[in-house]
C-alpha cells in the first residue's frame, strides 16, 4: 500500500483531469480534486485493490454531487475549456483553432446528462478501457457501452443541427 504522498503523486493528474472534464471549471476541479484526496486519506485502504479506479470513483461521485448542487441551486458559471495536453502550435493560428475546437467540444459535452458525460469523460478524457469505466461507475459493461454510444450520438446530432443552422444563416447573407 502506498503512502498518502505516493498515492497523491501517482494519481493527482488523473483525478484532476476527470474533475476538470466533469466540471468544466479549473477552480472547481481543483477543489474537488483536493476533496477526493482528503476523503481517500481518511479511509482504510487495506481492502482497496485498484487504487486508481477507487480514486476515480470517488472523484466521479463528488463531481456528480457538485453538478447536482449547481443544477438545483446557485447560478451557473461554467467556462468551456476542454483540458488537453498542451502542445506547441506551429503557428499562433493553430492554437486559436485548437482552442475553438476544444471549447466547442466542451459545450457539447456539457449539454449531456451527467451519466453520459461521466462515461464519455472517463473513456476518452482519461483514456480508460470500457471495463475500467464500468468498474469505476459500478455499472455493467453493456451499460457503459450504451451510455457512450448514446452520448456520442447526442453530440453528433447537436453538431449536425448546429451546422445546418449555420448553413441556413450563410444563405441569408449571399
Amino acid at each position: 500500500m502506498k503512502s498518502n504522498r505516493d498515492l497523491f503523486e501517482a494519481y493527482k493528474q488523473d483525478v484532476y483531469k476527470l474533475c476538470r472534464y466533469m466540471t468544466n471549471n479549473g477552480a472547481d476541479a481543483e477543489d474537488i480534486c483536493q476533496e477526493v484526496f482528503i476523503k481517500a486519506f481518511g479511509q482504510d485502504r487495506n481492502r482497496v485493490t485498484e487504487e486508481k479506479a477507487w480514486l476515480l470513483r470517488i472523484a466521479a461521485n463528488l463531481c456528480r454531487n457538485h453538478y447536482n448542487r449547481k443544477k438545483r441551486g446557485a447560478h451557473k458559471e461554467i467556462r468551456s475549456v476542454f483540458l488537453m495536453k498542451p502542445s506547441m502550435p506551429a503557428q499562433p493560428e493553430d492554437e486559436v483553432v485548437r482552442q475553438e475546437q476544444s471549447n466547442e467540444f466542451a459545450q457539447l459535452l456539457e449539454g449531456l446528462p451527467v451519466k453520459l458525460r461521466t462515461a464519455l469523460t472517463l473513456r476518452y478524457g482519461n483514456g480508460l478501457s470500457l471495463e475500467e469505466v464500468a468498474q469505476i461507475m459500478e455499472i455493467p459493461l453493456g451499460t457503459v457501452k450504451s451510455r457512450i454510444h448514446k452520448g456520442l450520438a447526442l453530440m453528433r446530432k447537436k453538431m449536425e443541427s448546429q451546422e445546418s443552422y449555420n448553413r441556413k444563416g450563410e444563405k441569408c447573407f449571399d
Side-chain angles (χ1 to χ4, degrees):
M1 182 170 64
K2 295 179 180 171
S3 70
N4 287 346
R5 182 170 184 77
D6 291 340
L7 186 72
F8 176 75
E9 290 299 326
Y11 302 113
K12 67 182 178 184
Q13 288 180 334
D14 292 319
V15 170
Y16 175 78
K17 193 175 193 181
L18 173 65
C19 294
R20 177 63 186 219
Y21 284 146
M22 295 213 36
T23 64
N24 290 323
N25 183 297
D28 289 345
E30 288 176 8
D31 291 344
I32 294 169
C33 185
Q34 187 175 34
E35 193 176 338
V36 167
F37 286 102
I38 290 170
K39 191 170 189 167
F41 296 161
Q43 295 183 7
D44 180 26
R45 298 192 315 256
N46 289 330
R47 289 184 268 155
V48 175
T49 56
E50 296 289 330
E51 291 176 331
K52 182 177 179 180
W54 176 66
L55 287 169
L56 291 176
R57 185 177 314 121
I58 293 171
N61 288 336
L62 290 174
C63 287
R64 216 177 355 261
N65 292 346
H66 173 77
Y67 174 79
N68 289 335
R69 275 193 306 270
K70 283 183 93 170
K71 187 177 175 184
R72 277 192 307 267
H75 67 290
K76 261 187 170 175
E77 297 180 33
I78 297 178
R79 296 182 196 153
S80 298
V81 177
F82 193 79
L83 185 65
M84 298 176 103
K85 290 186 179 182
S87 60
M88 292 302 295
Q91 299 292 324
E93 298 84 20
D94 295 341
E95 178 62 19
V96 171
V97 169
R98 187 198 65 76
Q99 188 64 39
E100 286 176 2
Q101 290 171 338
S102 176
N103 287 342
E104 289 171 18
F105 184 80
Q107 288 174 348
L108 289 170
L109 193 62
E110 179 185 313
L112 295 177
V114 71
K115 290 178 180 181
L116 303 180
R117 183 178 346 144
T118 302
L120 286 168
T121 300
L122 288 169
R123 176 72 172 125
Y124 299 111
N126 288 77
L128 300 178
S129 70
L130 294 171
E131 292 79 12
E132 290 172 318
V133 174
Q135 182 184 11
I136 290 167
M137 293 182 74
E138 297 179 318
I139 57 176
L141 180 60
T143 305
V144 170
K145 291 178 181 179
S146 173
R147 287 182 183 177
I148 288 173
H149 178 76
K150 185 174 183 179
L152 290 173
L154 287 172
M155 289 174 72
R156 190 176 306 114
K157 185 177 180 179
K158 181 144 181 142
M159 280 177 40
E160 289 169 356
S161 69
Q162 285 176 348
E163 288 172 4
S164 173
Y165 176 78
N166 289 341
R167 281 193 301 271
K168 289 177 184 175
E170 289 171 2
K171 291 178 183 176
C172 292
F173 296 108
D174 285 343

